[in-house]
Amino acid sequence: MAFAELLDQVGSLGRFQALQTAALLVPLMWIIGQNLLENFSAAVPAHRCWVPLLDNSSAQASAPGALGPEALLAVSIPPGPNHGPHRCRRFRHPQWQLLEPNATAANWSEAATEPCTDGWVYDHSTFTSTIVSKAGPAGLADSGLPDACVGVSLLTPSSCAAEPVMEWTSAQAQTLMMTLNTLGFSVGMVLLAGVAYGVRNWVLLQLVFSVPFFLMFVYSWWLAESARWLITVGRLEQGLRELQMVAAVNGKKAVRDTLTMEVLLSATQKELRVRQTPASLSTLLCTRILGLRTFVTSLCWFAFGFIFFGLTLDLQALHSDTFLLQALLGLLDIPARIATMMLLNRLGRRPIQVASLLLSGLSILANMLVPHEMPFLRAVLAMLGVWCVVSSFTCTTIYSGELFPTPLRMTAVGLGHMVNRGGAILGPLVRLLDVYHPSLPLLLYGAVPVLSGLAALLLPETQGLPLPDTLQDVQNQAVKKAMHHTREPSVLKSTQF
């Protein structure tokens, strides 16, 4: 296409692309930190009910004999499901009979207990302060509105970070640059683990992952707008200035000096003659070709948010070191993305999109058959599911941008990110269904990617194709593909004679 030729002249893989990718990668590192911050800011420390004998000095003085903390705890707090002190109930009155040598569990009844009417006492050895220890376990629901506001505000930078990288890069280097862009999420997960390990107060931790966005807001005004998009919507003068700026940054001053409006008009006359696609959501949804692509890619976006955040926002459930698990999640994410990049270049977009989603779902469904007495195997299958869905995210990020014309590309990707957020909201809530059946959450976590992977079979292959600038380009690619498939049977027949 004409714009591709202009991009090659000003530099499609040079200093400008490196600076642009780095500038857009930094926000992604902090965005994923915000997304997974609740693993630490909303962690639930070990806790028990507040009781006078342990937490009131005057009541302790009235205790008979020289009883230690363990004895006072035994007469004040009943044992919980895990044989430790119960987290949410206490004895109405001290059960002194439990200190007798022959005392058993039958020496007290459920009627002798009550809820934690005076609050809780928390273990501060791991976290000095969390949302839960500040508001109590029941108060965690009051953080819903701030979380919703954060999710909405982070939607825009995460959806806008990929398209400038794609539209300023040649087709041959798009997979590499887009993979480097998504590695910001991997590095961000490791960064989150390190920062959270050093900052154990949830308020300070929230500030550390919030204040940098002000700096990113300031330098975002100097990021280049997509010249491809500017030209397709008729803003030629601004598009020309952006191309000249890129040529200067890439050290091609001779090209910058010769790049004039006449050259731009001559090179893009095809795009200017073709009736431009209206950049509206109705066009995206109501056009037959684009409507199908929008539906299928939205399923892929939803599957990632649903599974990834459903499994990774509950690291405490694994009963291990949360900081170490978070760091490992990020470190192991890096080879998964690099392997995806290599496979995308060799096998194409559609096979990797389908295979990554199917493998993710099947590995999660397989966990339903593994007994809880085999925690290592369950952890391996769960991690395999996360790795595969991360691969599907890398593929979806690249694939979505290649399926839609330039005026609608940001709208389509933005819609995908919105659906992704919907999956991220519903994913953690699915765990609440285990009260009906322990395997029900795993069934849903596994079924969603399997169905999405099967739907991805309906998408066309885009490997090696130039980015479509208009709806006409999309239709032309579809016609060429149909002609190629109709020609194949005739070729096979001719070879039989």
Side-chain angles (χ1 to χ4, degrees):
M1 289 198 176
F3 182 82
E5 297 172 1
L6 281 177
L7 186 58
D8 287 336
Q9 292 178 17
V10 301
S12 59
L13 189 61
R15 185 186 306 145
F16 167 79
Q17 282 76 15
L19 293 174
Q20 180 96 333
T21 301
L24 292 169
L25 182 144
V26 173
L28 298 182
M29 295 166 53
W30 297 94
I31 286 173
I32 193 64
Q34 280 281 1
N35 288 338
L36 300 178
L37 199 63
E38 287 193 6
N39 276 328
F40 306 97
S41 64
V44 182
H47 57 276
R48 59 169 176 78
C49 293
W50 185 95
V51 291
L53 284 178
L54 288 168
D55 307 304
N56 185 298
S57 56
S58 60
Q60 290 178 7
S62 63
L67 297 178
E70 293 185 2
L72 295 177
L73 180 66
V75 301
S76 303
I77 305 291
N82 297 324
H83 306 291
H86 203 289
R87 291 187 166 195
C88 297
R89 298 196 70 83
R90 68 180 184 181
F91 288 122
R92 297 178 185 273
H93 304 286
Q95 305 293 302
W96 302 112
Q97 75 277 7
L98 296 177
L99 297 179
E100 296 176 2
N102 298 325
T104 63
N107 288 66
W108 65 277
S109 64
E110 188 70 24
T113 65
E114 63 180 0
C116 302
T117 55
D118 295 317
W120 290 264
V121 175
Y122 294 90
D123 175 18
H124 297 291
S125 61
T126 303
F127 300 99
T128 59
S129 174
T130 70
I131 297 173
V132 176
S133 63
K134 178 179 179 293
L140 187 57
D142 299 332
S143 64
L145 180 60
D147 284 347
C149 294
V150 169
V152 171
S153 63
L154 294 180
L155 177 61
T156 300
S158 59
S159 60
C160 293
E163 301 319 301
V165 174
M166 173 175 288
E167 295 184 359
W168 277 114
T169 309
S170 64
Q172 293 78 11
Q174 280 173 4
T175 303
L176 170 64
M177 300 304 289
M178 291 293 290
T179 303
L180 291 176
N181 183 259
T182 61
L183 282 176
F185 293 113
S186 309
V187 177
M189 286 189 278
V190 179
L191 177 67
L192 171 61
V195 174
Y197 185 82
V199 181
R200 304 297 182 95
N201 183 287
W202 79 272
V203 176
L204 294 178
L205 185 61
Q206 189 72 55
L207 286 173
V208 169
F209 276 91
S210 300
V211 172
F213 284 106
F214 291 99
L215 175 62
M216 300 169 199
F217 170 77
V218 172
Y219 78 66
S220 67
W221 292 99
W222 280 270
L223 294 175
E225 183 59 88
S226 169
R228 182 190 294 268
W229 175 78
L230 291 170
I231 293 171
T232 57
V233 298
R235 294 163 61 176
L236 299 179
E237 292 185 359
Q238 187 178 352
L240 177 61
R241 289 196 299 270
E242 298 289 0
L243 285 168
Q244 291 172 338
M245 182 271 294
V246 172
V249 174
N250 283 337
K252 300 193 175 186
K253 293 186 171 60
V255 175
R256 181 197 63 182
D257 296 337
T258 58
L259 188 58
T260 62
M261 182 59 71
E262 290 74 18
V263 174
L264 180 64
L265 290 172
S266 175
T268 60
Q269 56 183 332
K270 175 190 171 184
E271 284 83 356
L272 296 174
R273 279 200 310 265
V274 177
R275 183 177 180 270
Q276 297 305 310
T277 306
S280 65
L281 187 61
S282 61
T283 305
L284 198 64
L285 298 177
C286 299
T287 307
R288 185 177 65 86
I289 295 178
L290 298 183
L292 176 62
R293 296 183 180 188
T294 302
F295 174 73
V296 176
T297 55
S298 295
L299 285 178
C300 297
W301 283 110
F302 178 85
F304 169 76
F306 184 75
I307 301 166
F308 182 81
F309 292 101
L311 296 179
T312 60
L313 273 179
D314 194 22
L315 294 182
Q316 274 196 312
L318 298 177
H319 305 290
S320 187
D321 188 328
T322 308
F323 304 101
L324 180 60
L325 288 175
Q326 183 66 71
L328 287 175
L329 193 63
L331 290 172
L332 296 176
D333 190 65
I334 296 175
R337 294 184 188 274
I338 295 176
T340 302
M341 176 191 69
M342 298 172 64
L343 291 173
L344 285 172
N345 286 330
R346 285 184 171 272
L347 303 179
R349 277 51 166 162
R350 185 173 62 177
I352 302 305
Q353 185 73 80
V354 173
S356 59
L357 286 170
L358 289 179
L359 286 175
S360 174
L362 293 175
S363 62
I364 294 173
L365 291 174
N367 240 341
M368 298 173 58
L369 306 176
V370 180
H372 288 273
E373 291 74 21
M374 304 175 67
F376 179 76
L377 180 57
R378 292 179 63 87
V380 169
L381 288 173
M383 193 60 70
L384 178 61
V386 173
W387 288 342
C388 290
V389 81
V390 164
S391 297
S392 77
F393 173 75
T394 303
C395 184
T396 304
T397 303
I398 299 171
Y399 205 6
S400 296
E402 296 175 345
L403 287 168
F404 299 95
T406 301
L408 290 168
R409 188 170 295 121
M410 277 304 304
T411 305
V413 174
L415 178 63
H417 277 276
M418 184 180 71
V419 175
N420 174 29
R421 293 293 173 182
I425 292 171
L426 293 176
L429 298 179
V430 166
R431 289 187 172 276
L432 300 177
L433 298 177
D434 63 357
V435 298
Y436 301 103
H437 195 282
S439 298
L440 190 54
L442 288 178
L443 177 62
L444 292 176
Y445 286 141
V448 168
V450 168
L451 294 177
S452 302
L454 294 175
L457 290 170
L458 301 174
L459 295 175
E461 181 55 67
T462 59
Q463 183 186 15
L465 297 178
L467 289 178
D469 285 323
T470 64
L471 179 58
Q472 186 66 47
D473 292 336
V474 174
Q475 294 170 341
N476 290 342
Q477 291 177 357
V479 170
K480 289 180 180 179
K481 179 185 176 184
M483 293 177 61
H484 175 73
H485 284 299
T486 55
R487 234 188 338 253
E488 283 182 348
S490 62
V491 172
L492 289 175
K493 288 180 180 180
S494 64
T495 58
Q496 292 175 357
F497 296 97

